[in-house]
Amino acid sequence: MIKGLKIIDIKRIPTEDKGNLQFFEGNRDIDFEIKRIYYISEVPKGVWRGGHAHKRLKQMLFCPYGKVQVKIVDGFNEEIIVLDTPSKALVISAPLWRDIYWEIDSSVLCVAASDYYDEKDYIRDYEEYLKYISSR
Ligand code: T46
């Protein structure tokens, strides 16, 4: 797996005939404090989002409903992680380029992030990203 990526199992508490409750805690299940939660919904099947990297932000991505494909690139290697169960999460803790593909209509992508929104933390141009990682 590309350095800076980790897959984790989100804890699940089943209740007979009443579904599951799942949870994770910042600084316990993931190694950062959670300052922001955001989620992406109502995306039609076949759409790509993302197309950027973050310089410092750490994130945990999970898909409680539906199926998305997360394509991660570190400038040399590529890895595809499929999020298709509410129990699977992808933790990204390095400046990695990502593209996300919606495999099922209206899949919900949720993100727990280590910091507040800051557009200056984004690199949205791939050539600029390659320069950024080679200068580190
Ligand atoms: C990521 C992937 C998985 C805000 O104003 N506040 C926010 O907290 C966020 C996350 C976004 N925005 C604004 C910035 C743009 O004007 O919402 C607009 C759409 O954001 P963006 O084009 O970056 O959306 P995605 O789906 O390409 O990327 C998002 C996150 O931005 C990014 O951190 O890793 O989801």
Side-chain angles (χ1 to χ4, degrees):
M1 180 150 283
I2 289 177
K3 197 163 170 245
L5 286 184
K6 196 162 72 176
I7 305 283
I8 66 168
D9 259 334
I10 303 177
K11 288 177 204 141
R12 187 171 68 94
I13 303 181
T15 307
E16 206 180 335
D17 302 327
K18 287 190 184 182
N20 302 308
L21 181 149
Q22 301 201 227
F23 72 97
F24 57 92
E25 296 173 314
N27 286 331
R28 292 184 173 177
D29 301 300
I30 47 178
D31 65 353
F32 56 85
E33 188 187 334
I34 298 162
K35 286 201 180 158
R36 179 169 50 121
I37 305 276
Y38 53 93
Y39 46 92
I40 301 165
S41 58
E42 299 181 35
V43 179
K45 175 184 173 180
V47 163
W48 285 93
R49 294 188 62 121
H52 60 254
H54 283 282
K55 294 176 189 161
R56 278 173 294 277
L57 191 72
K58 295 182 178 182
Q59 296 157 292
M60 175 175 138
L61 279 61
F62 58 106
C63 179
Y65 175 80
K67 182 176 181 182
V68 298
Q69 224 184 76
V70 185
K71 188 172 94 177
I72 299 285
V73 177
D74 67 359
F76 303 98
N77 308 296
E78 176 182 309
E79 191 132 352
I80 291 178
I81 297 101
V82 176
L83 298 178
D84 57 355
T85 142
S87 297
K88 186 174 178 183
L90 172 66
V91 179
I92 308 176
S93 53
L96 298 169
W97 188 266
R98 81 288 309 268
D99 292 288
I100 301 133
Y101 180 73
W102 261 254
E103 285 204 16
I104 294 181
D105 239 10
S106 294
S107 301
V108 178
L109 177 64
C110 299
V111 181
S114 63
D115 216 336
Y116 304 118
Y117 174 67
D118 177 8
E119 187 57 38
K120 293 194 291 299
D121 188 62
Y122 284 76
I123 306 173
R124 293 189 184 268
D125 177 86
Y126 191 65
E127 293 303 314
E128 196 189 314
Y129 170 67
L130 293 178
K131 281 187 204 147
Y132 178 80
I133 50 168
S134 65
S135 69
R136 292 173 84 232

